[in-house]
Amino acid sequence: MKTSFCAFVSIILLASIFPPTSIWPLAFIAFVPLMIVCSKHSAFQSFAILMCVGLIVENIIFIWIYKLEVFTPVHGLLLGVYFALYWSIWGACTSWILRSKLSQTLKMLSVASVWVLLEYGMANMGFLAFPWNTLAQSQTSNLWLIQWSAVFGEYVIAFFIIAVNYIFYAHKTFSKREIRVSALFVVIFYLSGALDYYFNNDQTGKPVRVASFQTNFLRVRTAENVDPARRLQRVLSMAEDSLAESPDILVFPEGTLHGNGVAYDINLARLRAFAKRNQIPIVLGYMRDDKYSSQVDSKEQFNAAILIDSDKELTIYHKMLLMPFSERLPLEGIIVWPRWLVPNDMFLTPGVKSTPMSAGDIHAVPIICWENLFAGFVKKSLSKESNIIIDIVNDNWFGNTPAPYQHNNISVFRAIENGLPLVISSNTGPSQIIDSNGRVLAMSDEIFEPSTVIADVRLRSTRTIYFYIGDIFIVFCILVLTIALVMTIMVRRTTGLSTIKS
């Protein structure tokens, strides 16, 4: 009964730390009941219990995925089991660690390190990589803490959260000295982030005014949503209205215009004329319209971001990281995927390189939709001149659910990690403008409503520590677990020798 109760409490707490509720302080106690469970059960039993917990938590967090028309309960089960495996492995390892004879400090560091390494694996598992709603992403409103992402990335935030959970779990077995040291560690770590937030705020960059648009083109196949001319009319109308606020750049979302290729698109030409007439650069998403493509050339369908800058040639970035099974077919030619699993048969062609977009003092790095999930990819896309990140998004598929808010949380970390402001232009919202400290400067009020958000940001040419060292914190976690393993082997050998002598 106690096991069931602890699991239930953790499920409620864990489901509450992400949107729509986003009660981030609960993350610091949400794992305590799971640690109690793992300490009372074997590694195998903990694996099974955490599998059940993971299945329920992930289905609550990802409930929006059932909004996808092609998504079935079978897909949900497969996805749930995959993510629950991470929980299971952590549970089994935690059970072994908590019931070992390691010191309290090494136990705490080891339990946190296992979680971090699993999240790192989740972000680097090839076509299975999907680092969405990582533990750190529950803390996007906790601005003091997440400043540490500028040093070690989001993994150090997850490490800190698990460590604090362990302190709560094991505090009764701590000596007074261990309690004082633990409390001091938590306070110093947290206040260091606060000091960085308030005092390490570079105001030397040139201010620019950004207008980010939420066009609200829906999936419903009405003339207003499908017809390229009508889409352009909404874009031009919103752009014209924004000029009253004197923006320096306009950003429109993924797939804003559909056409027969940039060289032949009369609507794109009209938008270029608008940009030239008003002397204002425009970034927008562009896709070839399906009705113009054939089976012969369907492999040359790109998901593109385009910079229109007065008389200059178009700068075009083709999305490099395509979503598996939706925009690309993983292991094509190696695995024949069953039709019930992969109903889509029209895929896109990936881009081959990052394409910086420059207009005057603005040197933007464009990313498209889910490319914001991958910290390493975004970091590698930056050039030495880059001073702003532009993320164009279309979360139309998920309806009025927490999904777009969860998606935007990820971009907060990309801004802090790289020390750059980040602009999100989302088709159905929410569109946001985020500064280099992760503060949301402007945000659309509603999703699924046309909207324009405008804010001033400072272009940043400085780089963070994380930009230079990347995910080196992973090495620390590996070292911790290596020490824990060596110490365990030594203790067992010592115990064995003592038994033989006696």
Side-chain angles (χ1 to χ4, degrees), residues 59 62-69 71-77:
N59 270 279
F62 286 102
I63 190 67
W64 46 264
I65 208 160
Y66 293 100
K67 284 282 186 177
L68 294 174
E69 295 172 356
F71 209 81
T72 67
V74 174
H75 292 96
L77 178 63

Side-chain angles (χ1 to χ4, degrees), residues 195-262:
L195 291 172
D196 183 77
Y197 178 73
Y198 285 111
F199 297 108
N200 188 23
N201 192 352
D202 184 5
Q203 296 295 318
T204 61
K206 180 177 180 178
V208 297
R209 177 160 291 188
V210 180
S212 178
F213 298 91
Q214 187 171 301
T215 48
N216 198 45
F217 293 122
L218 306 178
R219 285 181 294 166
V220 181
R221 296 189 65 82
T222 62
E224 185 179 16
N225 291 318
V226 176
D227 181 62
R230 296 214 184 171
R231 293 174 75 95
L232 175 68
Q233 191 57 46
R234 182 181 300 181
V235 170
L236 288 174
S237 176
M238 296 180 75
E240 188 73 48
D241 291 343
S242 73
L243 295 181
E245 299 290 335
S246 302
D248 297 302
I249 186 170
L250 311 181
V251 183
F252 286 91
E254 177 184 14
T256 293
L257 292 188
H258 292 179
N260 194 19
V262 296

Side-chain angles (χ1 to χ4, degrees), residues 116-308:
V116 168
L117 290 177
L118 287 170
E119 283 200 347
Y120 182 77
M122 187 187 297
N124 294 275
M125 285 288 288
F127 70 89
L128 293 176
F130 195 61
W132 183 296
N133 280 339
T134 59
L135 189 53
Q137 290 164 22
S138 69
Q139 303 297 301
T140 49
S141 297
N142 190 359
L143 289 171
W144 291 4
L145 175 62
I146 63 177
Q147 299 309 307
W148 275 96
S149 301
V151 182
F152 293 118
E154 66 174 279
Y155 296 116
V156 74
I157 310 302
F159 186 94
F160 179 75
I161 293 171
I162 297 295
V164 172
N165 273 271
Y166 184 87
I167 293 170
F168 280 120
Y169 156 76
H171 73 280
K172 290 183 179 180
T173 62
F174 279 8
S175 65
K176 291 183 178 179
R177 178 176 177 275
E178 287 174 325
I179 291 176
R180 286 195 295 267
V181 170
S182 298
L184 184 63
F185 157 75
V186 171
V187 171
I188 291 176
F189 191 90
Y190 198 76
L191 290 183
S192 296
L195 291 172
D196 183 77
Y197 178 73
Y198 285 111
F199 297 108
N200 188 23
N201 192 352
D202 184 5
Q203 296 295 318
T204 61
K206 180 177 180 178
V208 297
R209 177 160 291 188
V210 180
S212 178
F213 298 91
Q214 187 171 301
T215 48
N216 198 45
F217 293 122
L218 306 178
R219 285 181 294 166
V220 181
R221 296 189 65 82
T222 62
E224 185 179 16
N225 291 318
V226 176
D227 181 62
R230 296 214 184 171
R231 293 174 75 95
L232 175 68
Q233 191 57 46
R234 182 181 300 181
V235 170
L236 288 174
S237 176
M238 296 180 75
E240 188 73 48
D241 291 343
S242 73
L243 295 181
E245 299 290 335
S246 302
D248 297 302
I249 186 170
L250 311 181
V251 183
F252 286 91
E254 177 184 14
T256 293
L257 292 188
H258 292 179
N260 194 19
V262 296
Y264 315 102
D265 195 322
I266 188 172
N267 293 308
L268 184 60
R270 290 178 60 193
L271 193 57
R272 295 182 72 177
F274 175 90
K276 179 179 180 180
R277 183 170 63 253
N278 293 284
Q279 291 295 296
I280 188 164
I282 300 174
V283 175
L284 78 155
Y286 186 92
M287 293 192 69
R288 288 273 302 275
D289 197 315
D290 288 342
K291 71 180 181 180
Y292 295 114
S293 65
S294 66
Q295 292 294 328
V296 176
D297 70 353
S298 61
K299 284 295 182 181
E300 294 302 311
Q301 297 295 309
F302 292 96
N303 189 347
I306 298 177
L307 168 67
I308 303 171

